[in-house]
Amino acid sequence: MRITTSMVQRSILADLNTLSVKLARTQTKAASGREITRPADNPFGTSKAMGLRSNLAANDQYMRNIDDARGWMDATESALDSITQFVKRAQDLVVQASTDTADATSRSAVAAEIAQIIQGVKETANSSYGDRYIMSGTETSVPPYKLGDDDTYQGNDAGHDPALAGIVREIGPGVTMTINSVASELLGSGRSDPGDGKLLNVLRDIADHLAADDGAALRSGDLSALKQQLDGVLEVRARNGSMSNRLDAASTRMDQIGLALTDQLSKTEDADFAQTMIDFNSQSAAYQAALRAGATIIQSSLMDFLR
Amino acid sequence: MPISSFYGLQTSLRGLIAQQRMLDTTGHNIANASTVGYSRQEATLAASRALQLQVAGASNATGAHLGSGVDVQGFRRVRDQFLDAQYRGQNSSLSDWKARADALDSAELSLAEPGDNGINAMLGNFWKAWSDLSKTPDDAAAKTALVQQAGALTDSIHSVRQQMVWAQESAMGQYDAIAGPGGNVERIASELAGLNKTISSFIVNGDSPNDLMDRRDVLLDQLSTYGQLSVEQLDGGSMNVAFVDGSTGLSYPIVTDRTADWAGPPTGDWSPGGQMGGLLAAGKSPGGMIDGYLATLDQFASSLASTVNAAYGGDFFSIGTPPGASIAVDAAIQADPKTIVAGTGASGSNDVALAISQLKGNASVDGAYKAFVAKVGGDLNEAQRMQANAQILTDSVEDRRQSVAGVSMDEEMTNLVRFQRAYQASARAMSTMDEMLDVLINRTGRVGL
């Protein structure tokens, strides 16, 4: 093949250009730290990276939702713990007052304390998380109970009644959890709904029996009724405890998934820095070699050797 | 038959003249070494008509031929028409992919993926805002934040769509500048018609207007950048040139003999290949690639709106035509974010917010957008790859063409030496003749003087 001057120049320029393009690409990779800077670099990888980024963002959100749910559960647990203490105290008082040695005066003193316990239980049920009441179903802006003689439950049964959606948190992809306990389940509506057999009703009955100096009633029905209420509270606490465990497990799982996702995203999207630097060095060496060779070829001609 | 004493002087003179013409041609080649489209020229030499002699004792008595030196018959350009045709074909295909890659590049750039500012990230933030609202369903701040995020999402959809429309318009603008009235093709057509006229008038007279023919070939190369060409050589040095539709086989004349015929591109659909073909493939509406992207983006916007609205149970997004440019948060919600309904029950209920938050990763929204980005990236990737391949093929044909037609400096220098030596030798032959005649004229018949 006959090699002409313009061919030599064109091919040197084309080679230099190819090498510069490679160098520029490696330079972008090193500066951005990214293997993929544009979809055309790797369409499949881009779509994978986008999916991983979305998953990572969602995972982050699940973690925050779980933290919020935990806060809510902790507030509920501490309220239930206080109620447990109140019920135990009421038990002690009823045991004291039900003995035959107790007289009307001491029973009325106990009755006063029971009245305080009733207010205490209602106050505890009114606890809130953030500015939301935690035990009034989805009526989170309404306290479950009014203080005083009215024991009517003010909230709704959402969360206890399976037909109503309660306070729900999304704790994983497609996984939701109802986190609220409804006060009416344990406390009932007291005198407003006589015979519901719930805690307020039982306490009000005890107060009546104390006021009436009715030791027999205290001994026969009230003690066992209180025992039953205590079991009820403990049962709800056990249920909450197992839900907290579920949250912990979900949180651990999200942590692990988050790590795995970050790792995968990095493998898909990030440049291998060592590899990039090695590439950069070998490409710049090739570029310099091409420059030197090109310069030598262009400069020399037959004219240098003809007199 | 006697031969003139001065015969040899004449022979040497012919040699001197021929070598001088060769040196002139070499000078012309060197001067045009960098001229675009120049093909090297060479003088064609032939031995001049010999002198017929009667030689005594020749066996067949037909005489002998005494050489009379050399004649310059003409100057020809060294060029291979077949390589020209090959080059133009490859060049069309290269420009086709290059135009596509350039147009798609600006469309793809508008996506800003993968990154923290693209639609994908905005979509993620939008779902997050709903999830946050589900935790505080009656909180005005969470609702305002949600409206902000939704606004950022619709803004980024609008901006991507607008930039794609611009990419489309810019491709069609280039197409018009090439093919439209007063465009490049029209200009080249009238120059070609003029060249056809001049060239054929020279050729009729028996001349070979090498440099004009080079100029015509340059124009044809340029036309082959714009579209697939058919070139028909006519007797008498003129030619017919037309664009050829690669799929229908129809031809659209540019120049017929001495008349410029280009009357703009056909109004209907055509696939001319070359830059025009690439620009049309990327930018034409309807049917172009960017047009397809816009349709997909609109589809994505409407399915985002309808999916969210269905879960919301009302109008969260309002949408018009085209969906991608008009999707927006419903005006009533924008005016008062507190009106956002997070749950169907009491103030603490969050079933609506939860349902929308759970739409994330939805195949018809997130999935559709991901597939869209992969499609745009894949198309551009293909165009760039094909462009690189076409570049290699074009370069190799151009190398072969240059190998035939290009000027090699080393070769020209060698020729320079060769012709100079030949010139010197012819001059030496002449002075030998001169010395011979000197003997005859000045020294003969001087016996005894």
Side-chain angles (χ1 to χ4, degrees), chain A residues 2 6 10 38 40 138 170, chain B residues 108 348 357 381 399 402 411:
Chain A
R2 186 173 168 268
S6 69
R10 201 198 51 71
R38 301 191 45 190
T138 51
E170 194 186 3
Chain B
E108 186 236 39
S357 158
N381 186 281
D399 268 357
Q402 284 301 319
E411 185 183 3

Side-chain angles (χ1 to χ4, degrees), chain A residues 2 4-6 10 38-40 50 53 57 61-62 65 132 138 140-141 168-170 176 302-303, chain B residues 40 105 108 113 116 120 131-132 135 138 347-348 350 354 357-358 381 399 402-403 406-407 409-411:
Chain A
R2 186 173 168 268
T4 63
T5 314
S6 69
R10 201 198 51 71
R38 301 191 45 190
M50 282 166 63
R53 277 167 174 267
Q61 183 67 32
Y62 295 139
N65 292 355
R132 287 171 188 78
T138 51
T140 50
S141 52
V168 181
R169 292 287 176 267
E170 194 186 3
T176 55
L302 187 58
M303 276 173 274
Chain B
R40 76 188 156 108
D105 187 69
E108 186 236 39
E113 299 286 0
D116 299 328
N120 197 47
S131 192
D132 280 337
K135 288 186 288 184
D138 50 356
S347 65
N350 61 0
L354 211 57
S357 158
Q358 284 178 319
N381 186 281
D399 268 357
Q402 284 301 319
S403 168
V407 175
M409 280 300 184
D410 291 346
E411 185 183 3

Side-chain angles (χ1 to χ4, degrees), chain B residues 306-314 351-352 355-356 359:
Chain B
S306 62
T307 315
V308 170
N309 287 351
Y312 185 68
D351 49 342
V352 173
I356 298 180
L359 289 175

Side-chain angles (χ1 to χ4, degrees), chain B residues 21-86:
Chain B
R21 293 294 87 80
M22 302 280 269
L23 279 169
D24 290 344
T25 310
T26 305
H28 187 53
N29 283 344
I30 293 174
N32 282 296
S34 310
T35 307
V36 176
Y38 178 78
S39 26
R40 76 188 156 108
Q41 298 177 10
E42 58 185 23
T44 41
L45 299 184
S48 53
R49 208 180 131 93
L51 189 65
Q52 230 171 329
L53 299 177
Q54 291 291 335
V55 182
S59 58
N60 50 7
T62 49
H65 286 213
L66 176 59
S68 64
V70 68
D71 273 336
V72 176
Q73 293 203 313
F75 302 92
R76 71 178 187 104
R77 55 182 199 144
V78 184
R79 196 173 177 108
D80 185 339
Q81 301 294 339
F82 295 107
L83 287 175
D84 280 342
Q86 262 187 47

